[in-house]
Amino acid sequence: VEELPGGVGEFAVTGVAFLWHQVRCMVAVLLLVGAGLEEPDIIKELLDIEKHPRKPIYEPADESGLVLRDCGFEDLAIAPSVPAPPAGSAAA
């Protein structure tokens, strides 16, 4: 997570697959931590799938503030002039 001017934050996610609303749910928990409504340790706690085998009950973050900036797929160029980044890698 990177704080930008104007109270804007940038949250970069790289993966090979995502579940429905997964990024919105992840951002929701980070926003709660940033607002002081959850402790930072909640992130590590929620990643323990033995204790939490299912999605936690949090309201997903509002999608209006989330922007998909880049996307890449193996062997598939998205735009003719821009080569797609390898799947699972961060775009520059």
Side-chain angles (χ1 to χ4, degrees):
V1 177
E2 180 181 344
E3 184 177 349
L4 302 173
V8 174
E10 182 175 315
F11 174 67
V13 181
T14 301
V16 294
F18 293 99
L19 300 173
W20 184 254
H21 292 237
Q22 179 180 350
V23 173
R24 288 179 59 198
C25 292
M26 292 170 18
V27 170
V29 176
L30 291 173
L31 289 172
L32 290 171
V33 170
L37 300 172
E38 286 285 5
E39 293 296 320
D41 291 346
I42 192 67
I43 305 299
K44 187 174 182 177
E45 175 75 19
L46 292 173
L47 291 172
D48 183 340
I49 60 171
E50 296 294 323
K51 290 183 183 178
H52 305 281
R54 293 177 182 80
K55 182 181 94 166
I57 307 299
Y58 287 101
E59 191 69 30
D62 184 353
E63 74 273 6
S64 66
L66 301 176
V67 177
L68 175 61
R69 187 181 80 187
D70 197 3
C71 183
F73 299 93
E74 286 184 27
D75 302 320
L76 178 66
I78 303 299
S81 63
V82 180
S89 69

